[in-house]
Amino acid sequence: MKYEKTSIPILILFCVFVYPVMFKEWVILSYVYQYGIPFVYVAFNFKLLRKISGKQLFIIGCLVLLLFLSVLYPTLHNTGDYSYVKVSTFVFRKLAVYLFLAMVLVKKYREHTGVEHFMYYYILTHVVFVIGTILIVFAPGLKSIWFSVFAETIESETLLESYGYTFRIGWQGFAGYRMTLHCTWCCIFLLYMYYACKEELQLKRSIFLISYVLCFLGNMFYGRSGLVISIITSLIAVLVWNRKHFFRILQFIVIAVVLVFFIYLLRNHPLFSEWYTWMATPIINLITKGEFNNASFNTTLEMVFMPEWKTILYGDGYFTQGNHYYTMTDSGIMRNILFWGIVGAVISYGVTFYSLLDMKKKNMLMWILMFGSFLAFEYKGDVYYEYIALTFSISFIDTALPVRYSGKSLMETPK
């Protein structure tokens, strides 16, 4: 067992490229550093890709097919809506960034590189992001200075006027559904690395506690869906991975109670009151009434409907219409069916499931938690491409990069 020592330069790279900022005065330069550097670095280190597996090639082929279909369907339906191309290219842009960071890790850790290293810095990136949110909220002057230099990639002023959205902001601007998804992943990764990962890399208790509290706090800030899913996945993980260690379970519960009690004490503070009501209402409803009774969740239920058979078979070729999503639906499942029907949906979700299977090789419970979170998040929003980018990169680290040094597979670890 070994405890991880944090490389500050690598952590800075993760922060800068996972959540890049846009310079107001140098937009082109911003794009060059966001995507140019990762693409060039991957190209110059192309020899690291020589052991890419047949499965990974198949996934890439499916992603190329989805990109083609995102152009084909609007053309066939004559809708002129090519907005889904942005979604289809997102995976490739994200993959370039993740593979760039993975290659940096393998240069650092050489034959000892494992997916846990990627998880570790990915977690710390979100720890820093949550700290950034706290600083922005509590220091309005800092927010003004920051956004006078950097553009908000997602405009926050109007969104932050919504009830309870006080903390839904980060160094990129508005931080919402995608950020709560990422914080949920971090909670799962943290529990896996602390309780189940004993051979490759182990977290110090202090690092685990601070990181978990901040990532869980991030879910309280950025989205109630992630908060609920994190509570469920965390309870399952702690109970299963510590089923023979009652003291560890008790310790985790005590920490959770202390965190909840501390937040409860702040509920009447002017800065926290609206946010607390927004964040806590669904949980309180679940405890007292046995149901979430959450406006957002109820609205999503109303957005899921049975399309016409023609739409199911061939899609409508619309992803957006005007300034909103087609049929005003937020559900990822509905967006896929409505855009390209059953064919595109089967391919996109099939690739997601296929890529997620690599986590099953690492740890069965972690795979179950990630797959369960995917079902929940995709029902509420459109996130399948996020899972493909992340899990593909993780599998790539495990099967391709370490081969350069030793040819040793790091996949097989005790469950």
Side-chain angles (χ1 to χ4, degrees):
M1 180 188 302
K2 61 179 179 179
Y3 292 106
E4 182 56 38
K5 293 182 179 179
T6 305
S7 169
I8 300 301
I10 291 180
L11 175 57
I12 293 173
L13 278 179
F14 265 74
C15 291
V16 168
F17 284 97
V18 174
Y19 297 114
V21 293
M22 181 76 70
F23 293 94
K24 282 187 172 181
E25 302 299 327
W26 300 289
V27 177
I28 296 178
L29 180 62
S30 300
Y31 281 114
V32 168
Y33 106 77
Q34 288 179 29
Y35 301 115
I37 292 176
F39 272 105
V40 170
Y41 190 90
V42 171
F44 273 96
N45 290 274
F46 186 76
K47 58 185 176 181
L48 292 177
L49 307 177
R50 71 186 188 278
K51 293 296 183 179
I52 191 169
S53 68
K55 175 179 179 179
Q56 291 159 345
L57 285 174
F58 175 77
I59 291 174
I60 292 174
C62 288
L63 294 177
V64 172
L65 176 59
L66 288 174
L67 176 59
F68 171 73
L69 293 179
S70 67
V71 176
L72 179 64
Y73 273 82
T75 303
L76 292 178
H77 287 283
N78 196 29
T79 62
D81 176 29
Y82 295 97
S83 57
Y84 205 90
V85 173
K86 184 177 180 181
V87 176
S88 299
T89 57
F90 172 88
V91 182
F92 293 100
R93 288 181 280 123
K94 202 72 170 181
L95 273 176
V97 172
Y98 284 168
L99 291 178
F100 158 62
L101 295 172
M103 289 178 177
V104 170
L105 288 175
V106 84
K107 295 280 189 177
K108 167 71 174 176
Y109 296 102
R110 301 176 65 82
E111 69 269 20
H112 302 294
T113 309
V115 300
E116 291 80 12
H117 291 98
F118 190 92
M119 291 178 180
Y120 178 72
Y121 286 101
Y122 189 82
I123 290 165
L124 292 185
T125 298
H126 291 82
V127 168
V128 175
F129 194 94
V130 174
I131 293 173
T133 292
I134 295 171
L135 291 175
I136 289 173
V137 172
F138 282 92
L142 175 62
K143 176 185 175 182
S144 299
I145 295 173
W146 181 268
F147 288 118
S148 67
V149 178
F150 302 107
E152 298 182 57
T153 54
I154 303 177
E155 294 294 333
S156 64
E157 291 303 322
T158 303
L159 289 168
L160 289 174
E161 292 176 1
S162 301
Y163 185 84
Y165 279 25
T166 308
F167 288 91
R168 300 189 80 174
I169 188 170
W171 62 62
Q172 289 186 310
F174 181 76
Y177 194 67
R178 186 177 296 178
M179 187 56 62
T180 194
L181 165 70
H182 296 170
C183 285
T184 300
W185 288 348
C186 290
C187 289
I188 295 174
F189 294 160
L190 277 163
L191 293 168
Y192 158 71
M193 292 180 67
Y194 188 68
Y195 291 123
C197 178
K198 301 298 182 182
E199 295 296 324
E200 300 301 331
L201 186 151
Q202 179 70 12
L203 295 177
K204 292 181 179 179
R205 181 179 298 178
S206 58
I207 296 294
F208 166 72
L209 291 177
I210 294 171
S211 299
Y212 184 87
V213 167
L214 286 170
C215 288
F216 191 81
L217 196 61
N219 272 325
M220 291 181 170
F221 290 165
Y222 309 128
R224 293 174 294 189
S225 299
L227 176 59
V228 173
I229 296 169
S230 287
I231 291 173
I232 295 172
T233 54
S234 294
L235 286 174
I236 294 173
V238 171
L239 291 174
V240 173
W241 278 325
N242 296 296
R243 57 189 179 275
K244 297 181 180 180
H245 304 279
F246 175 76
F247 179 74
R248 290 181 183 176
I249 297 175
L250 182 62
Q251 184 183 54
F252 185 86
I253 292 174
V254 170
I255 294 170
V257 169
V258 171
L259 174 62
V260 171
F261 182 71
F262 176 75
I263 294 173
Y264 178 77
L265 292 177
L266 298 173
R267 71 192 186 283
N268 293 323
H269 190 282
L271 186 62
F272 294 96
S273 57
E274 282 192 7
W275 164 74
Y276 176 84
T277 302
W278 170 83
M279 177 272 300
T281 297
I283 308 300
I284 295 173
N285 288 338
L286 180 63
I287 295 173
T288 58
K289 302 177 181 179
E291 59 182 17
F292 287 112
N293 194 24
N294 175 18
S296 177
F297 181 75
N298 293 339
T299 301
T300 302
L301 288 176
E302 297 171 0
M303 292 178 177
V304 177
F305 58 92
M306 184 65 180
E308 296 180 0
W309 279 107
K310 181 181 177 181
T311 299
I312 294 175
L313 292 175
Y314 308 112
D316 290 341
Y318 278 110
F319 182 61
T320 59
Q321 197 171 43
N323 296 322
H324 52 75
Y325 290 110
Y326 182 51
T327 73
M328 301 287 286
T329 184
D330 284 340
S331 173
I333 298 172
M334 293 306 304
R335 289 179 191 172
N336 266 277
I337 293 294
L338 292 172
F339 178 71
W340 47 25
I342 193 67
V343 175
V346 168
I347 296 173
S348 57
Y349 291 141
V351 172
T352 306
F353 177 77
Y354 192 46
S355 61
L356 272 168
L357 284 176
D358 280 308
M359 286 200 165
K360 187 177 180 181
K361 299 176 183 178
K362 289 298 295 182
N363 186 280
M364 175 64 78
L365 180 59
M366 181 171 64
W367 173 74
I368 292 173
L369 296 177
M370 288 293 289
F371 182 66
S373 71
F374 163 68
L375 295 177
F377 276 111
E378 184 66 17
Y379 181 83
K380 179 69 170 62
D382 193 21
V383 297
Y384 76 89
Y385 43 86
E386 292 271 5
Y387 280 83
I388 294 174
L390 178 78
T391 52
F392 182 96
S393 302
I394 285 178
S395 70
F396 183 79
I397 293 173
D398 238 354
T399 59
L401 297 183
V403 175
R404 176 185 179 186
Y405 299 104
S406 65
K408 176 184 177 181
S409 173
L410 301 175
M411 272 310 253
E412 301 301 331
T413 58
K415 306 296 186 287

